[in-house]
Amino acid sequence: MFATLNDDGSYALTGAGYTLLVVILLAVFLLGVFIFGRNRRKSSAKQMAFSAMAIALAMVTSMIKFLHLPMGGSITLFSMLFICLVGWFYGLGSGLTAAFAYGLLQLIVDPYILSVPQMLTDYVFAFTALGLSGVFSKAKNGLLKGYILGVAGRYFFAVLSGVIFFGTYAADAGFSSPVLYSLAYNGIYLGVEAALTIVVILIPPVKKALIRIKQTATDMDTE
């Protein structure tokens, strides 16, 4: 009902499958904002707006690819940063919620499904890990620390998926071990994008601008 089998062994989502994902996405996003919003009225509305903008920017920039690897994975225009911003703004719970929604959007837009465990690892767990940036929402240099933690979380699940579901390609790529293959393969696109993003975050004018945006996003509206 929700997916059909392709000739290459992967699955393609049906109309019912896409509909189900959209319903889950909206439900989780709204529930997350309601639960983790600081205030059930104005602050929650502002949080929803900023989180939605961050997810939208992440989706747009994820489509701007400087390098696309043959087995999936791309160096994008700082797409992971926008998701990590939500965690830095509003904390761990909100960050994980936004990142989970982003993972479902990626699944809707560009799905590659071999099995349910692979789908969960590549799309749900890997992208949701970006929300770990919320761990450092109140720390000094919290965005930098949170971004590194979020990308490290995504890298962990990407490597895990590579070992379990794509390890058979290691020999073709000249690697004797699926673990080394997955570490190197996923390290190429995630490592390069992370390094470039960190350089941008550390530029003083950019750093100050991001701090101002956070203040705007988190300031309580007055009555």
Side-chain angles (χ1 to χ4, degrees):
M1 180 182 295
F2 300 109
T4 57
L5 182 63
N6 295 322
D7 294 336
D8 63 356
S10 65
Y11 289 87
L13 294 173
T14 63
Y18 281 113
T19 301
L20 177 63
L21 285 177
V22 170
V23 171
I24 294 174
L25 186 155
L26 292 174
V28 170
F29 184 63
L30 293 173
L31 180 62
V33 171
F34 177 79
I35 293 175
F36 299 110
R38 297 178 183 180
N39 183 287
R40 295 297 180 264
R41 296 179 182 177
K42 291 184 178 180
S43 182
S44 289
K46 176 183 284 189
Q47 180 174 330
M48 182 183 297
F50 272 89
S51 298
M53 285 190 293
I55 294 172
L57 286 170
M59 286 301 301
V60 171
T61 52
S62 72
M63 298 176 186
I64 303 174
K65 301 175 182 179
F66 301 108
L67 174 67
H68 183 70
L69 299 182
M71 297 301 298
S74 304
I75 300 174
T76 69
L77 187 62
F78 311 123
S79 61
M80 293 186 291
L81 173 62
F82 293 103
I83 296 301
C84 289
L85 285 176
V86 180
W88 182 51
F89 288 167
Y90 302 113
L92 181 61
S94 297
L96 292 174
T97 300
F100 177 80
Y102 177 66
L104 291 184
L105 277 175
Q106 288 290 338
L107 179 58
I108 292 170
V109 173
D110 188 23
Y112 184 76
I113 305 171
L114 296 176
S115 63
V116 171
Q118 175 267 329
M119 178 189 72
L120 292 175
T121 305
D122 279 338
Y123 291 95
V124 177
F125 300 147
F127 285 110
T128 300
L130 293 173
L132 292 172
S133 60
V135 171
F136 297 104
S137 64
K138 297 181 180 179
K140 183 178 180 181
N141 296 317
L143 177 57
L144 177 62
K145 295 175 182 177
Y147 179 78
I148 293 174
L149 179 60
V151 174
R154 182 183 173 188
Y155 181 59
F156 170 80
F157 286 109
V159 169
L160 183 65
S161 174
V163 172
I164 297 174
F165 306 109
F166 301 97
T168 54
Y169 296 100
D172 295 336
F175 287 86
S176 59
S177 166
V179 175
L180 293 177
Y181 166 69
S182 188
L183 286 170
Y185 183 95
N186 292 288
I188 291 174
Y189 66 95
L190 290 176
V192 171
E193 181 175 333
L196 293 174
T197 304
I198 288 171
V199 170
V200 172
I201 290 174
L202 292 177
I203 297 174
V206 175
K207 185 176 181 180
K208 291 179 181 178
L210 290 172
I211 291 174
R212 292 194 191 100
I213 293 172
K214 179 177 181 178
Q215 291 172 343
T216 302
T218 55
D219 282 346
M220 294 289 292
D221 292 321
T222 57
E223 294 293 343

